[in-house]
Amino acid sequence: DRKQRRDRRRGVGWSLLAGLLLGMLVMMSYGMPLMGLLAVAVLVAGRSWRPLPLAAGAALVVVLGFAAAGWAWWDFYPALVERYEEGIAKDRPEDYWRWANLALLVISAGPLVAAGVAHLAARPRAWLRRDHAPLLLAGAAVVMVAAADASGMSKAEVERIWLPFMPWLLVSCALLPERWRRWGLGLQLLTALVVQQLFYTVW
């Protein structure tokens, strides 16, 4: 009927818009293709794969458009890796920063994030529940951070490089018991004030 056709057109529009935004996001930073994992989590939470072809196609149009204009992501990424490894990365041992990155993440996103992620890990059966959207979104964020850390392309500076991942990690805090969330908000605020006043970065 008319309502179904209107809903279908609306779904097509949102799918194309989401794909265009994802494509532009990919072209803004070499780490942003990892946000595709979050997009998959959204589809799983929504219990529908129908938007996938349209969104993927729209994202591909953006990426190929840049390539046609002379900027191919896949050509420049190997050069970036080479320059990074020959530059400042030489003075940043990967074995150290793989763990130091996670510590910086907890400091910059707030200590309650560690509790939220630990809560996720302690509920393995809940990962099978497709109707649990916060779990899926936070889980996708954990995978994105793990992939970024394992890539070796984020040695320090993750307080800014991983900023796009942090809001989705914070979703895990919604799964904590209510008594944790009450004092946890105060702890997050106190941590932010301490970090802002006592830590110095050039960002």
Side-chain angles (χ1 to χ4, degrees), residues 177-196:
E178 185 176 354
R179 65 182 185 277
W180 283 57
R181 297 199 298 269
R182 288 178 178 176
W183 64 259
L185 180 60
L187 179 61
Q188 291 286 96
L189 178 59
L190 178 62
T191 302
L193 291 173
V194 170
V195 170
Q196 184 68 25

Side-chain angles (χ1 to χ4, degrees), residues 11-198:
V12 169
W14 281 114
S15 300
L16 292 173
L17 178 60
L20 291 173
L21 290 174
L22 181 60
M24 288 187 287
L25 189 65
V26 166
M27 303 309 297
M28 289 180 180
S29 171
Y30 286 104
M32 288 301 97
L34 291 173
M35 295 296 284
L37 296 171
L38 182 68
V40 172
V42 170
L43 293 176
V44 174
R47 299 185 179 184
S48 175
W49 295 98
R50 186 177 300 173
L52 181 60
L54 291 173
L60 194 59
V61 166
V62 176
V63 175
L64 293 180
F66 273 87
W71 203 97
W73 192 96
W74 49 88
D75 286 338
F76 285 89
Y77 182 74
L80 170 72
V81 174
E82 183 178 352
R83 290 187 61 184
Y84 182 69
E85 294 297 335
E86 293 177 353
I88 196 170
K90 293 188 302 183
D91 302 321
R92 297 178 177 178
E94 186 171 346
D95 290 339
Y96 170 80
W97 282 106
R98 183 172 288 118
W99 299 103
N101 285 342
L102 300 179
L104 287 172
L105 175 66
V106 172
I107 293 173
S108 55
L112 204 63
V113 165
V117 172
H119 192 66
L120 287 179
R123 303 173 63 199
R125 291 183 180 180
W127 286 82
L128 302 177
R129 293 176 51 188
R130 296 177 57 198
D131 60 336
H132 207 160
L135 183 69
L136 292 168
L137 296 176
V142 171
V143 175
M144 289 189 293
V145 167
D149 201 28
S151 72
M153 293 295 292
S154 302
K155 299 174 184 175
E157 306 177 35
V158 296
E159 63 271 17
R160 64 177 181 85
I161 299 173
W162 290 356
L163 269 177
F165 307 147
M166 293 181 192
W168 306 104
L169 283 173
L170 286 167
V171 172
S172 65
C173 299
L175 305 174
L176 293 171
E178 185 176 354
R179 65 182 185 277
W180 283 57
R181 297 199 298 269
R182 288 178 178 176
W183 64 259
L185 180 60
L187 179 61
Q188 291 286 96
L189 178 59
L190 178 62
T191 302
L193 291 173
V194 170
V195 170
Q196 184 68 25
Q197 296 299 321
L198 300 184

